[in-house]
Amino acid sequence: MRIIITEFMDEAAVAALARRFDVRYDPDLVDRRDALLAALADAEAVIVRNRTQVDADMLAAAKRLKVVGRLGVGLDNIDVAACRDRGIEVIPATGANARAVAEYVIATALMLLRGAYTASAEVAAGAWPRTAYSNGLEAEQRMLGIVGFGGIGQLTAKLAQGIGMRVAAFDPMLPADSAVWQQTRVQRLELDALLSAADVVTLHIPLTPDTRNLFDGARIGSMKSGGILINTARGGIVDETALAAALKSGQLRGAAIDVFDQEPVKAAGALADAPNLILTPHIAGLTQEANERVSSVVAERVAAVLDGAAHASAQGGR
């Protein structure tokens, strides 16, 4: 059985698959669409990250496809309904990069609360802006508001509580009587109440028609004055122009954005000259450890699907 891997994957996991299957590992294949479609003609499995669009054209080219492995958790680049209709399993690496994302949230929250970590160039140049950077904030007893309280949100809450933060969360999929609230010691709030109370708001929701531009000018404007917004979920949830305006006006203290409506970001885009802003290239879930976990989990689960298919085929041939 043949597996096509279109984006980077941990080498140990690739080698483990290659010992048992016919593997084509080509991490640049995502950027050569015609070659990708041609490669899929005899593939039973494809493993992708977030840039490969598993759409109608790709599924049409992959007539033997049985499973799509996703090196991550977001599925907005995969036509899940079409895969379901064709009996193709979609396997995300649920939970495997949660620690990396949660640590990113806490790290950027601390940086933006303190506000001093952009002083390196000034100090190195001989300036001594001690007074300007002497009014940073401590995290203890400040509120972290989590929008989307799944596995990543719950781990982020645990880390935040470990440094003395109060934590509240909004998740319409978790009813008020869910055991999760008591187990995590997290306050359940509706979205508007959470935004008005939280010192730091972090997003952990999928991009859907309902969540696109969820954080528009009005919703960002409803956040607590001097609040901080962190988005490691998906670009498109936050209106980047509205965010830039809120940072420039001082309505928000800062923001950390790891995901964007268009990736890579256009030069001189809406966020280019916004102050108190940390921008990273969609790497919140990427660490050495997370890459190994994500790749290992997906490799094992894809192999299990192919083994099941081979067994079924052998049984049918008897």
Side-chain angles (χ1 to χ4, degrees):
M1 288 187 171
R2 192 165 204 218
I3 302 173
I4 305 296
I5 305 171
T6 68
E7 300 178 65
F8 76 90
M9 187 174 184
D10 183 66
E11 296 282 357
V14 175
L17 288 172
R19 285 193 288 270
R20 302 187 50 221
F21 303 98
D22 175 13
V23 173
R24 176 177 173 180
Y25 175 48
D26 188 346
D28 298 321
L29 194 57
V30 61
D31 296 314
R32 307 193 317 274
R33 183 71 173 179
D34 290 344
L36 169 58
L37 296 180
L40 290 170
D42 58 353
E44 281 83 10
V46 61
I47 296 176
V48 305
R49 284 191 181 270
N50 64 298
R51 295 179 57 225
T52 305
Q53 298 301 310
V54 183
D55 54 17
D57 289 342
M58 186 165 163
L59 294 175
K63 299 186 184 304
R64 299 174 59 185
L65 195 64
K66 297 175 176 62
V67 58
V68 177
R70 167 70 169 92
L71 296 166
V73 295
L75 299 177
D76 50 288
N77 61 311
I78 299 173
D79 189 336
V80 176
C83 288
R84 187 188 308 115
D85 290 344
R86 286 188 47 186
I88 299 168
E89 289 199 47
V90 177
I91 299 176
T94 304
N97 66 353
R99 181 80 191 195
V101 176
E103 288 190 2
Y104 175 102
V105 172
I106 299 303
T108 53
L110 292 174
M111 290 176 69
L112 291 164
L113 283 168
R114 192 64 182 265
Y117 302 108
T118 59
S120 296
E122 294 173 76
V123 174
W128 199 246
R130 193 168 185 235
T131 300
Y133 290 105
S134 294
N135 294 304
L137 304 177
E138 297 177 4
E140 188 175 24
Q141 289 305 304
R142 285 194 157 76
M143 179 181 283
L144 176 68
I146 302 174
V147 181
F149 203 50
I152 294 175
Q154 291 172 34
L155 181 54
T156 302
K158 181 179 179 180
L159 297 186
Q161 289 166 335
I163 58 172
M165 296 189 80
R166 296 177 295 120
V167 183
F170 163 75
D171 193 322
M173 304 303 292
L174 287 174
D177 59 356
S178 171
V180 167
W181 303 111
Q182 186 172 2
Q183 291 167 355
T184 58
R185 297 177 291 111
V186 167
Q187 181 183 7
R188 181 181 183 272
L189 291 177
E190 295 302 321
L191 183 57
D192 290 343
L194 181 142
L195 296 182
S196 65
D199 299 284
V200 181
V201 174
T202 178
L203 309 183
H204 301 286
I205 52 178
L207 178 64
T208 68
D210 289 336
T211 63
R212 178 168 290 280
N213 284 328
L214 179 65
F215 278 73
D216 56 11
R219 188 152 272 123
I220 291 172
S222 72
M223 289 177 61
K224 184 176 181 179
S225 180
I228 289 167
L229 180 62
I230 301 173
N231 186 15
T232 59
R234 280 292 177 270
I237 295 172
V238 175
D239 182 322
E240 295 171 7
T241 300
L243 174 61
L247 291 168
K248 291 174 183 177
S249 71
Q251 193 261 320
L252 291 187
R253 180 182 182 86
I257 305 297
D258 184 57
V259 288
F260 305 88
D261 195 32
Q262 180 176 337
E263 298 180 359
V265 175
K266 284 185 178 179
L271 297 172
D273 58 350
N276 305 320
L277 180 62
I278 297 170
L279 301 179
T280 51
H282 206 142
I283 49 77
L286 302 180
T287 60
Q288 290 183 15
E289 295 88 348
N291 287 338
E292 292 170 3
R293 286 193 300 269
V294 164
S295 297
S296 176
V297 164
V298 170
E300 290 172 4
R301 293 175 182 172
V302 166
V305 172
L306 294 181
D307 286 343
H311 179 72
S313 178
Q315 292 292 102
R318 290 181 181 178

